Amino acid sequence: MSSRLLPSASSGAAPDALEEAQFRARMARLGTEPESRRGRRRGPQATGRGGFRLGWKSWLVVDALVVLLVVAAVVAWPPIQACRHQDKTTGFYAGDSVDKCIRRGIAERIDRADQRLKALVRNSGR
C-alpha cells in the first residue's frame, strides 16, 4: 500500500485552493496573471499588442486625411510628370514655367472630373 494518505471528503476544498494558489503563482511569474476586467483599464500592455489607441473620431480624421492625400496624389502626379517631361524635351514658351504648367494641368484634371460628375448626375434619372 501507499504511504500517502488519501484526502477525506471534508478536506476536498483544501487541495483545490492549494492548486489554485500554485497556478496563480506560476502565472504571476510568467507575467500572464488574469486580472479583473472591471478593476483596470485595458491598455497596450494588457492586450499584448504594441502601438497606440485612438478614439473613433480620431481614426475618422486620420482616414479622411489618408483619402485626401491619395486623391491629391492621383490628381497632381500626372500633370507634374508631364510638365517635367515637357521641360526636359521641348521646353516652354516665353513667360511659361513648370509651375504654371503644373497648375494648369491640375486645374484641367479637376475641371474634367467635375464635368464627369455633372454628366453622371444628369444621366442618373434615366
Side-chain angles (χ1 to χ4, degrees):
M1 283 211 335
S2 153
S3 62
R4 197 170 85 153
L5 294 174
L6 294 173
S8 65
S10 63
S11 65
D16 289 341
L18 180 62
E19 276 186 44
E20 181 70 25
Q22 289 172 346
F23 173 75
R24 292 205 179 270
R26 282 193 307 266
M27 291 294 114
R29 279 194 308 262
L30 294 174
T32 58
E33 177 74 24
E35 298 182 22
S36 170
R37 295 201 185 267
R38 290 185 217 151
R40 182 175 175 265
R41 288 185 67 174
R42 293 180 59 156
Q45 291 81 16
T47 59
R49 294 179 290 165
F52 56 94
R53 294 172 52 99
L54 293 175
W56 69 270
K57 292 177 185 176
S58 301
W59 280 115
L60 183 65
V61 169
V62 169
D63 288 342
L65 288 174
V66 167
V67 168
L68 184 66
L69 287 173
V70 168
V71 168
V74 166
V75 168
W77 189 254
I80 290 171
Q81 290 301 315
C83 291
R84 285 183 179 171
H85 179 70
Q86 181 181 351
D87 185 34
K88 288 179 183 175
T89 57
T90 60
F92 294 106
Y93 293 114
D96 204 4
S97 67
V98 175
D99 292 336
K100 287 182 182 179
C101 177
I102 291 172
R103 277 188 250 129
R104 187 172 51 245
I106 291 173
E108 287 173 5
R109 285 181 66 88
I110 290 173
D111 288 340
R112 194 177 319 132
D114 184 47
Q115 293 301 320
R116 287 181 181 177
L117 285 173
K118 287 179 184 177
L120 283 173
V121 169
R122 280 188 222 117
N123 293 332
S124 65
R126 290 184 188 179

